[in-house]
Amino acid sequence: MHIVTPAEASREFVQNTRTTKKKLRELHGAMVDLMALMNQPQRDQALLAEAGVSLDRALFPLLVGIERYGPIGVVELSERAGRDYTTVSRQVAKLESLGLIERRPSPTDRRIHEAVITDKGRQMTDALDAARQRIAAPILARWSEEDFSDLVRLMRRFVDDLMSTSSGTDRT
C-alpha cells in the first residue's frame, strides 16, 4: 500500500485541471470578500452597539484576541492582529488601565509579560459574543444545521492546515 506524501498530494492537486484553478480563485475571492467585510469600521461599530459596549474600536479586537489566545505576549498578539508591536503595546496598556486585562510575567520566561483577561474583560467579550450571535442568527437561520456544521469544520480545518504548513508566506 502506497502512502501519498504531502509533496505528491501537492503535485497532484496543482496538476489538476482548470476546474481546480477556478475553484481556488473562487475560494480566494470569497476570503478577500470576507476580509473586506470584517475590516469595515461600521461593522465593528454595529457589533459594539449591539453588545452595549463602549470601547475604542481599535481595542476590542485585541481584547477578544487576549480572551481567545491568552495568556499571550504582546509580540504574538501584534503578529496575530497584523499590527505594529509598539502600537499594540500602547493599546494593551490602555486595556490594562481600563481594568479589562492584566499583565503578568510569563511563568516560562520572566522577561516576557503576558496579557490575561480579567473578569471585567470577560464580561465584555461575553457581551460581544452574544451580540455576534444575535447578528448572525438571521443569516444562519436560512442554513441547515449540517451546512453550518460543515462550514465550521471545513473553515477550522483550512485555517489549521494553513497555520501548520506555512510560515506566513503562503497568502492563498
Side-chain angles (χ1 to χ4, degrees), residues 90-120:
R90 283 192 304 273
Q91 291 169 329
V92 166
K94 179 69 175 171
L95 289 169
E96 185 176 32
S97 74
L98 295 170
L100 301 173
I101 62 113
E102 59 184 36
R103 290 189 281 186
R104 62 178 187 214
S106 166
T108 57
D109 186 344
R110 294 282 184 200
R111 296 171 297 171
I112 298 173
H113 280 78
E114 297 175 325
V116 181
I117 194 144
T118 62
D119 288 339
K120 182 179 177 183

Side-chain angles (χ1 to χ4, degrees), residues 44-100:
D44 292 347
Q45 289 301 97
L47 179 62
L48 289 166
E50 177 67 28
V53 167
S54 177
L55 185 66
D56 183 314
R57 194 179 60 76
L59 297 179
F60 100 85
L62 296 176
L63 179 65
V64 171
I66 292 166
E67 187 267 330
R68 299 290 196 268
Y69 305 114
I72 187 170
V74 173
V75 171
E76 183 181 350
L77 184 62
S78 65
E79 288 171 357
R80 285 184 174 273
R83 296 185 191 168
D84 178 70
Y85 166 83
T86 57
T87 301
V88 170
S89 182
R90 283 192 304 273
Q91 291 169 329
V92 166
K94 179 69 175 171
L95 289 169
E96 185 176 32
S97 74
L98 295 170
L100 301 173

Side-chain angles (χ1 to χ4, degrees), residues 139-169:
I139 297 163
L140 296 174
R142 298 181 295 225
W143 289 50
S144 72
E145 185 67 33
E146 183 180 1
D147 283 349
F148 181 55
S149 293
D150 286 347
L151 174 66
V152 172
R153 178 180 56 81
L154 292 171
M155 181 66 74
R156 182 76 266 161
R157 178 180 172 189
F158 183 67
V159 171
D160 289 346
D161 286 349
L162 273 177
M163 289 171 59
S164 71
T165 60
S166 83
S167 60
T169 57

Side-chain angles (χ1 to χ4, degrees), residues 121-138:
R122 185 165 312 282
Q123 289 172 354
M124 193 172 282
T125 59
D126 287 349
L128 289 163
D129 287 342
R132 199 175 286 110
Q133 186 173 350
R134 288 190 300 274
I135 290 169

